[in-house]
Amino acid sequence: MYAVWKLSLANLKKRKIQNSLIALLVLLSTLLLSTSVILISNTDNLFTGMHEKTNGSQDILRLDGGLHDPEKVHAFWEKEPGVSVSKLLPYHTLSGVSHNGSDIPNLLLFMMDTPQRPLGVDELLPARGTLGETPAAGQAWIPTSLAYSHDIAVGDTLSFKTSQGALELNVSAVVVDIPYGGPFSTESRIWMNEADYGGLSASEGAKSSYMMGIRYDNYADRQAHWTAFEQFLGTPYLESVMTFAEISSFYLILNQVIGFVMIFLAVVMMAIALFTIGFTISDAILTQYRTIGVLKSLGLTSGKTIGVYLIQYAFLSAIAIVPGLILSRFLSRIIVDSTLSYLKTDTGQLPLSGMNAAALTGVLIFLLVLLCVWAYGRRARHIAPVQAIRYGMSESDSRRESRGIGASGKSLVGFGSLPAVLVVGARNLLKNIKTSTLMLILAMVTSAVLVLGYVVLSSVMNIQQTSPQWGYDNSDITVRVFDPASFSKTEFEAGLAADDRIKNVSWHSGVTGVIESPERAASEKAEDTMGVVVSIVEGSYDDIGFAVLEGANPVNPNETAIGVNVAKTLSKSLGDTVELYVEGQPHVLTVTGIYQSVANSSNSVRIKSETVQADNPAFSAADVAYINLNDHSQADTVVPELNERYAASISAATQKTLLDSVFREAATTLILPMSFMGALFITVTLIIIYSICLINIRKEIKTYGIYKSIGMSSGQIRRSVALGVSILATVGALLGILLGVYALPVILESILAGYGMVDLPLVFNGASVALIACLSIPAAAAGSWLSSGIIRKTSPRILVVE
């Protein structure tokens, strides 16, 4: 055993640089894999923990259409066993707010009449400032999503647009409000004092709407409770409900995307690391073939020979995995604080868990390294001492080596006419096919990772180009009516018709409906019915720019387009019929299109206003107007004119402004992890290619000595090696472009499918993709150039001496 230990130490001392690089590679693999494990673990744990801490709701009921009596609905849930319900919360809806003189676009505001705490469900946690029982007069509490994304601090003043002018409230606290405080939220609850709310109610001249939060003692019993609820109502529930899946989705989506991508890349990196270790061991066995033969002739067994490598790489893995695990905690902290920032409070950091899972990941990596070492080290068993001492290799390898490249008398195609620099580089690659293949795969994977990161970021940052494929409109201007009482649709349309800059206008309203299969009457299965968001358009869906994946948008009153998750849940396809309840009235509609939408996870349907008007002739879609211009560039001019002319009732914004308000945050959050993974793979490429080229050059050092003795300079030889590797990396980069653009996005689509996105809309510039992919080429060239430095330091006289 002493001999095995001494040989292991000798191997560690002899190849310091190579061993250091392998240790660094294991460290980076550990860092990436354990970070992804911690990230995925904490995504669920942190949200679930905060949800439990606030006694968070699992359904939010909004009653604003007058279809159910709020008091009766609240009374039912209060008496329902196994259910907790919040106090009945009155509110008014506004859609205009400004901070420091700047309007905050694309935000629907629920102005809440705050009851005395506790609320019962969805308790508010102070993130900044101090909470009393209720806000003081003239003050308000706002959610973290609004405060953090627009730099609103405690003590700032917000100005809210009402029909009677501006209502100014001072921010006295920022609160964690789970249902309406998530990332990308376009809805915020503003918690007001009772007196301020009374003044708002008087100015708006409309009845209050109501909402309540519901939490189940056992979430698995949810369907049974809803069955009892609808039996109590005598009809399906026809007003708005936000489910737990909708509440949690935007808290979890970014970390799940980042985490799953990191796991995939970590597995790829670990495979490369293990292959590199195996290659290094194989090379060490070939290099020390004669030495191993001598040792075996002196009594060293094959098992002990394998033990030499096991001890060596166990030591390297141990000193690499521990710091990798430590660093993963810091990296996870940075990513978690970025993606779950709206759960943070000033009282302390978000608690990180998953350390045990990360430690198990480290143990798994350690065992995988040892298994790889054992598998490759077993090749030493086949070394015959006599052949090793005589040939320095097996007899068959010796015969093959003696023939060399082109020994059959046939020269390699075209080599005679090529420059010497190119021939030397090509020979280096062709003589080492296995290592050349590894470098090709490495360059391909690195380029694919870089391209994927660029494509994802570019697609999110340039979402305006593909907004219909994300489920958004493609109009030039969006106008939201926040005060219907003082708004005249007829007057507004007349003003637009008189403006020759306006091309067309379509109107949109959104309500909650219930959709069923007509077959449900026979089956009575609960899964055959679901609540959906119903988009009602007066005008043309095509003019607005809403896209479909299959079929077409509805044109006639008896037609509908359904979201992909509705189609999946109810097993519907084009030509099938569904029964949709809107405002309590059933409508049997034919499915003409299927679309995707990230806004509501594709749990929605599209119908025409004529569908509703068949039962309610007075109905008119007038919540949002989508306006197209003859000249798209005039949108920035038309918007302020509309806001000034109809200041008391509408809020207008360009499509770019609205999309930026939602997706700018996603792009900012994704930059750090995507950049980190790209930089990590570039570093790994340089490290591995340096190690591989160093091994190859040491094996061929005598040949390079001969080249130097016949007139080639060290610089020419080094350029030859670097040129060959660069050409190989270029081929890998081209293959990586195909992988990063066409293959890896499929992984994202599988993750986003649950959020209603089955066909990821990609936006990228071909030249930029090529430039990003080519970053792996200088990394490969630098690794080969640095490793060839030993050629410059070695004397040709020594190299040609046998």
Side-chain angles (χ1 to χ4, degrees):
M1 188 62 194
Y2 178 75
V4 172
W5 176 251
K6 292 294 290 183
L7 288 171
S8 298
L9 288 178
N11 284 342
L12 289 170
K13 292 178 181 179
K14 186 178 180 180
R15 301 188 176 190
K16 294 185 180 68
I17 295 178
Q18 189 173 325
N19 289 329
S20 299
L21 294 178
I22 288 176
L24 182 58
L25 191 60
V26 174
L27 185 151
L28 294 176
S29 299
T30 304
L31 174 61
L32 195 58
L33 191 57
S34 56
T35 297
S36 61
V37 169
I38 294 174
L39 192 61
I40 291 177
S41 174
N42 279 278
T43 297
D44 287 328
N45 289 345
L46 288 174
F47 173 77
T48 302
M50 189 64 77
H51 193 259
E52 293 284 343
K53 187 175 182 180
T54 60
N55 200 35
S57 60
Q58 292 161 331
D59 281 318
I60 293 281
L61 273 58
R62 277 176 30 203
L63 300 108
D64 50 13
L67 301 177
H68 301 294
D69 186 331
E71 298 287 349
K72 290 183 178 180
V73 170
H74 188 262
F76 169 85
W77 287 108
E78 270 193 319
K79 296 176 182 178
E80 182 73 1
V83 175
S84 300
V85 62
S86 71
K87 294 179 179 179
L88 191 61
L89 305 173
Y91 71 93
H92 282 293
T93 304
L94 297 178
S95 64
V97 61
S98 60
H99 174 239
N100 291 335
S102 299
D103 287 337
I104 299 175
N106 199 26
L107 190 62
L108 183 63
L109 303 164
F110 300 124
M111 312 301 290
M112 311 297 298
D113 182 5
T114 311
Q116 288 191 346
R117 299 167 64 214
L119 303 180
V121 171
D122 287 326
E123 299 296 346
L124 304 176
L125 293 182
R128 295 176 181 171
T130 305
L131 297 185
E133 289 188 349
T134 62
Q139 297 182 344
W141 303 336
I142 66 172
T144 51
S145 56
L146 175 58
Y148 294 171
S149 59
H150 294 91
D151 296 323
I152 301 174
V154 172
D156 288 356
T157 299
L158 296 180
S159 180
F160 300 90
K161 293 181 181 179
T162 72
S163 59
Q164 302 300 315
L167 168 64
E168 293 192 347
L169 296 174
N170 194 49
V171 177
S172 61
V174 176
V175 297
V176 177
D177 186 1
I178 296 291
Y180 292 98
F184 325 122
S185 177
T186 58
E187 299 174 333
S188 291
R189 293 199 286 196
I190 308 298
W191 301 88
M192 305 173 64
N193 177 270
E194 182 180 9
D196 294 327
Y197 181 82
L200 178 64
S201 295
S203 67
E204 295 303 291
K207 292 173 63 177
S208 293
S209 299
Y210 295 87
M211 72 171 65
M212 67 188 77
I214 299 171
R215 182 179 179 84
Y216 309 98
D217 294 349
N218 184 359
Y219 190 69
D221 296 333
R222 177 183 183 273
Q223 188 58 50
H225 291 301
W226 272 83
T227 300
F229 177 46
E230 294 191 337
Q231 288 175 350
F232 165 77
L233 294 176
T235 66
Y237 175 73
L238 300 171
E239 302 223 38
S240 301
V241 59
M242 181 165 60
T243 65
F244 180 71
E246 295 175 85
I247 294 171
S248 62
S249 61
F250 285 123
Y251 284 101
L252 308 180
I253 185 172
L254 274 184
N255 275 2
Q256 288 185 345
V257 169
I258 295 170
F260 278 105
V261 171
M262 288 182 75
I263 283 183
F264 169 77
L265 298 181
V267 170
V268 171
M269 181 177 288
M270 195 65 225
I272 293 173
L274 294 176
F275 189 89
T276 304
I277 290 171
F279 166 76
T280 304
I281 293 173
S282 298
D283 175 75
I285 291 173
L286 292 176
T287 304
Q288 300 172 344
Y289 206 93
R290 182 174 281 114
T291 303
I292 295 173
V294 171
L295 292 173
K296 292 185 76 172
S297 69
L298 295 175
L300 189 71
T301 65
S302 296
K304 291 182 179 180
T305 305
I306 298 172
V308 172
Y309 298 111
L310 285 172
I311 293 175
Q312 175 186 345
Y313 286 98
F315 175 75
L316 290 175
S317 298
I319 63 174
I321 289 173
V322 172
L325 294 175
I326 295 172
L327 290 174
S328 69
R329 179 178 178 85
F330 293 102
L331 180 61
S332 301
R333 165 62 64 189
I334 294 173
I335 297 176
V336 165
D337 282 350
S338 174
T339 56
L340 295 177
S341 60
Y342 296 155
L343 298 179
K344 289 174 59 179
T345 68
D346 285 350
T347 57
Q349 289 184 319
L350 294 171
L352 278 184
S353 60
M355 297 301 113
N356 291 336
L360 289 175
T361 301
V363 172
L364 176 62
I365 292 174
F366 184 77
L367 294 176
L368 284 174
V369 170
L370 294 186
L371 181 61
C372 176
V373 171
W374 177 80
Y376 280 90
R378 292 177 74 239
R379 298 183 180 185
R381 295 186 310 160
H382 303 295
I383 296 178
V386 174
Q387 292 182 6
I389 295 171
R390 181 176 181 180
Y391 301 112
M393 62 186 72
S394 68
E395 189 173 356
S396 59
D397 288 341
S398 178
R399 286 197 300 268
R400 186 163 51 249
E401 181 76 13
S402 64
R403 288 198 298 269
I405 297 179
S408 63
K410 296 179 181 179
S411 63
L412 293 173
V413 178
F415 265 37
S417 60
L418 294 177
V421 171
L422 193 58
V423 172
V424 171
R427 182 185 183 278
N428 179 54
L429 297 178
L430 294 173
K431 194 173 181 182
N432 302 280
I433 294 297
K434 289 184 179 180
T435 58
S436 298
T437 303
L438 175 60
M439 288 189 286
L440 177 68
I441 293 174
L442 185 62
M444 179 181 68
V445 172
T446 300
S447 295
V449 170
L450 294 171
V451 168
L452 175 66
Y454 164 74
V455 167
V456 170
L457 282 174
S458 177
S459 299
V460 173
M461 295 174 69
N462 295 283
I463 195 171
Q464 188 177 5
Q465 300 178 31
T466 57
S467 59
Q469 284 73 46
W470 290 87
Y472 295 98
D473 67 282
N474 196 33
S475 57
D476 296 317
I477 299 172
T478 299
V479 174
R480 187 191 296 271
V481 179
F482 65 82
D483 183 23
S486 63
F487 177 74
S488 171
K489 182 179 177 180
T490 303
E491 179 185 338
F492 184 76
E493 287 182 327
L496 295 181
D499 192 334
D500 58 9
R501 295 171 299 180
I502 307 300
K503 181 179 181 181
N504 55 55
V505 58
S506 296
W507 293 89
H508 176 274
S509 286
V511 300
T512 298
V514 175
I515 190 170
E516 303 182 336
S517 298
E519 298 85 1
R520 182 175 184 260
S523 66
E524 288 297 326
K525 293 190 298 183
E527 59 266 26
D528 283 337
T529 182
M530 63 185 301
V532 293
V533 175
V534 181
S535 292
I536 306 172
V537 161
E538 182 179 311
S540 170
Y541 278 101
D542 294 333
D543 286 347
I544 295 174
F546 287 128
V548 292
L549 294 175
E550 302 176 42
N553 281 307
V555 176
N556 300 310
N558 64 336
E559 296 175 345
T560 183
I562 60 177
V564 291
N565 278 344
V566 175
K568 180 180 178 181
T569 302
L570 300 181
S571 300
K572 294 297 177 182
S573 59
L574 299 181
D576 291 345
T577 58
V578 294
E579 188 171 13
L580 176 68
Y581 284 82
V582 182
E583 295 189 333
Q585 298 299 320
H587 305 272
V588 177
L589 307 173
T590 301
V591 177
T592 61
I594 297 175
Y595 63 90
Q596 62 180 11
S597 174
V598 71
N600 43 52
S601 299
S602 294
N603 292 313
S604 59
V605 301
R606 297 171 181 169
I607 62 174
K608 296 297 296 290
S609 60
E610 292 85 349
T611 305
V612 183
Q613 289 168 351
D615 295 298
N616 181 10
F619 176 83
S620 176
D623 293 341
V624 177
Y626 293 107
I627 300 173
N628 288 311
L629 306 178
N630 292 310
D631 182 357
H632 304 302
S633 64
Q634 293 183 323
D636 289 329
T637 303
V638 175
V639 164
E641 292 178 9
L642 291 174
N643 281 327
E644 182 179 357
R645 190 183 311 166
Y646 305 99
S649 57
I650 71 156
S651 174
T654 63
Q655 183 211 37
K656 183 179 186 305
T657 300
L658 298 178
L659 290 175
D660 284 349
S661 68
V662 176
F663 287 92
R664 178 186 57 195
E665 178 185 348
T668 303
T669 304
L670 286 171
I671 285 175
L672 174 63
M674 291 300 183
S675 301
F676 168 75
M677 286 184 280
L680 194 59
F681 268 81
I682 290 175
T683 303
V684 168
T685 298
L686 192 152
I687 291 171
I688 295 179
I689 289 181
Y690 174 91
S691 179
I692 290 173
C693 289
L694 189 62
I695 292 171
N696 289 342
I697 290 170
R698 281 174 173 165
K699 287 196 299 183
E700 297 292 320
I701 199 69
K702 291 181 181 179
T703 303
Y704 294 138
I706 294 173
Y707 293 161
K708 291 181 75 171
S709 68
I710 61 175
M712 287 189 73
S713 67
S714 297
Q716 287 177 315
I717 298 173
R718 296 180 70 190
R719 283 194 293 273
S720 298
V721 174
L723 178 61
V725 172
S726 297
I727 293 174
L728 191 68
T730 301
V731 175
L734 294 175
L735 296 174
I737 291 175
L738 298 177
L739 186 63
V741 172
Y742 297 106
L744 293 186
V746 175
I747 300 173
L748 288 182
E749 289 176 357
S750 66
I751 298 167
L752 293 173
Y755 297 95
M757 296 297 297
V758 297
D759 184 13
L760 189 63
L762 300 180
V763 177
F764 55 86
N765 178 275
S768 299
V769 167
L771 181 63
I772 292 292
C774 287
L775 291 177
S776 63
I777 299 175
S784 61
W785 178 263
L786 292 173
S787 65
S788 64
I790 60 173
I791 296 175
R792 180 172 49 83
K793 300 176 183 178
T794 309
S795 168
R797 172 180 290 184
I798 297 174
L799 295 176
V800 297
V801 173
E802 288 292 335

